Amino acid sequence: MTKHIAALLILILSIVPAWAQQSFHRNLKLMGSGFQITVVVKDSTEADKAINLAINEITRIEKLISSWDPNSETSEINSNAGIKPVKVSRELYGLIDRAINISTLTDGAFDISYASMDKIWKFDGSMKKMPSNEAIKLSVSKVGFQDIILDAENTSVFLKEKGMKIGFGAIGKGYAADRAKALLQKNNIQAGIINASGDMNTWGRQPNGNEWTVAITNPLNKTKAAAILPVTNGAVVTSGNYEKFVQFNGTRYAHIIDPRTGYPSTGILSVTVFAPKAELADALATSVFVMGIEAGLNRINQLPKIECIIIDEKGKVFTSDNIEIDRI
């Protein structure tokens, strides 16, 4: 009996450290957006150390990809558009290369050269009429991922046309979340969430052993969720137009603009994409908005380990083939 009790005590003691894990989080502003960093560790000291590591990594990424910082590599690329190639770090080169691959995959619905677009659409309530067809066409005249020339041997980037610009607004936060997660995993943080203004990247499990879950906002009633889904060691990104839009002649135009045409997307209220990495989920969520329900789901269904939920203007829910949701 004593041996059994001793063995039981050893078993309990071996489990206690797992039970002792707690969830700690910090809210802050990074990359011009709200971030929440959550880690599952044993105490607040370890949590502070881990969260600071993540913050430093996200800040580093911001300096790399910022088009607002005149000293960043991205700004150097933009300032030399139509002039000469710019040699960049392998990290930035790789990010741009992957972005171009996503542009090819989505037939140009995603395009980091969208930054060249003239800001003729206003979504702050000041816009009283639609721009002319000519103005819309002109607004995207400098946009085109095909004119981003990469040289792998020299890791250089060249924008062929003067006035071209690249920007990472539709992929940067997701990439930063991926890098922060990877760094924390490398430093033996067993579980957590990087929430980059809605771009969520998870790993491990909650302290109670349950999976992390994500609520999909109901665009027609933001106080309620349309569905709740588990997220295990992956990313989920939602893009929505239920806050930034204009309406003309009975048509609702979202703030997400098709870089190929200059026209805002229509018909969709929100797109949620599940993917192994936040960078990819971020880019695809924007792309599906632009591509529309049928074309967007068709493309998602061709991609391994990628799933999607779309909610249209009437609140109808559409899903990719291999996703199961608990609607509430």
Side-chain angles (χ1 to χ4, degrees):
M1 179 68 73
T2 304
K3 287 182 180 179
H4 289 310
I5 292 173
L8 181 61
L9 285 172
I10 291 171
L11 175 62
I12 292 173
L13 287 173
S14 69
I15 295 174
V16 165
W19 289 352
Q21 300 281 295
Q22 303 174 63
S23 178
F24 298 86
H25 71 265
R26 191 186 306 173
N27 296 312
L28 61 160
K29 191 171 185 178
L30 295 165
M31 303 181 77
S33 301
F35 273 65
Q36 184 180 76
I37 301 171
T38 301
V39 292
V40 177
V41 291
K42 65 179 185 295
D43 56 42
S44 61
T45 301
E46 187 178 1
D48 285 340
K49 182 180 178 181
I51 291 171
N52 287 338
L53 272 176
I55 291 170
N56 290 340
E57 180 68 352
I58 294 165
T59 301
R60 183 187 71 79
I61 298 296
E62 181 178 18
K63 290 179 179 178
L64 179 72
I65 68 175
S66 173
S67 56
W68 302 105
D69 181 354
N71 298 314
S72 73
E73 290 184 359
T74 302
S75 291
E76 188 177 359
I77 292 169
N78 289 342
S79 63
N80 283 284
I83 301 172
K84 65 177 182 178
V86 173
K87 184 175 176 60
V88 299
S89 63
R90 290 198 173 276
E91 182 177 14
L92 184 61
Y93 182 93
L95 180 60
I96 294 171
D97 188 32
R98 294 192 300 276
I100 292 174
N101 288 336
I102 296 172
S103 294
T104 302
L105 179 70
T106 60
D107 302 320
F110 174 83
D111 193 332
I112 58 171
S113 71
Y114 81 94
S116 316
M117 199 183 303
D118 294 332
K119 308 298 188 292
I120 61 173
W121 294 90
K122 309 292 183 185
F123 300 96
D124 57 4
S126 65
M127 197 172 182
K128 303 305 178 187
K129 64 177 183 177
M130 284 186 64
S132 67
N133 291 336
E134 292 76 14
I136 293 171
K137 185 177 180 180
L138 184 62
S139 73
V140 293
S141 61
K142 301 292 185 182
V143 177
F145 70 93
Q146 300 92 338
D147 290 331
I148 305 173
I149 309 303
L150 301 184
D151 182 336
E153 185 176 347
N154 296 307
T155 61
S156 69
V157 182
F158 178 49
L159 307 182
K160 282 178 64 175
E161 302 292 332
K162 280 199 171 185
M164 276 190 74
K165 296 177 183 177
I166 58 172
F168 298 94
I171 197 172
K173 291 192 296 293
Y175 176 63
D178 287 338
R179 295 310 308 154
K181 169 184 170 179
L183 181 62
L184 291 180
Q185 288 180 307
K186 184 179 178 181
N187 282 270
N188 298 316
I189 303 303
Q190 300 300 314
I193 303 175
I194 308 294
N195 183 346
S197 189
D199 295 7
M200 297 181 64
N201 206 341
T202 73
W203 71 103
R205 290 176 175 259
Q206 299 182 57
N208 61 8
N210 292 339
E211 294 176 301
W212 300 108
T213 57
V214 60
I216 309 301
T217 300
N218 180 344
L220 300 178
N221 186 348
K222 290 180 287 183
T223 63
K224 294 184 178 180
I228 296 178
L229 297 98
V231 184
T232 304
N233 194 29
V236 54
V237 172
T238 297
S239 290
N241 80 344
Y242 37 88
E243 293 180 341
K244 294 181 180 180
F245 63 92
V246 292
Q247 192 159 336
F248 296 117
N249 302 319
T251 300
R252 181 187 181 111
Y253 296 94
H255 73 285
I256 298 173
I257 297 174
D258 188 336
R260 302 166 297 187
T261 67
Y263 282 86
S265 56
T266 61
I268 295 176
L269 287 184
S270 76
V271 173
T272 300
V273 172
F274 296 80
K277 290 186 176 293
E279 173 190 317
L280 182 58
D282 205 356
L284 289 176
T286 303
S287 304
V288 171
F289 237 112
V290 170
M291 297 171 77
I293 297 170
E294 184 177 352
L297 287 178
N298 180 57
R299 193 57 48 91
I300 292 293
N301 285 329
Q302 296 176 44
L303 302 175
K305 300 181 180 178
I306 311 291
E307 300 299 338
C308 179
I309 299 172
I310 301 173
I311 302 177
D312 74 4
E313 289 182 340
K314 297 180 180 179
K316 186 175 180 181
V317 178
F318 301 81
T319 68
S320 53
D321 288 346
N322 298 310
I323 192 168
E324 294 182 8
I325 64 175
D326 295 324
R327 299 182 190 179
I328 59 176

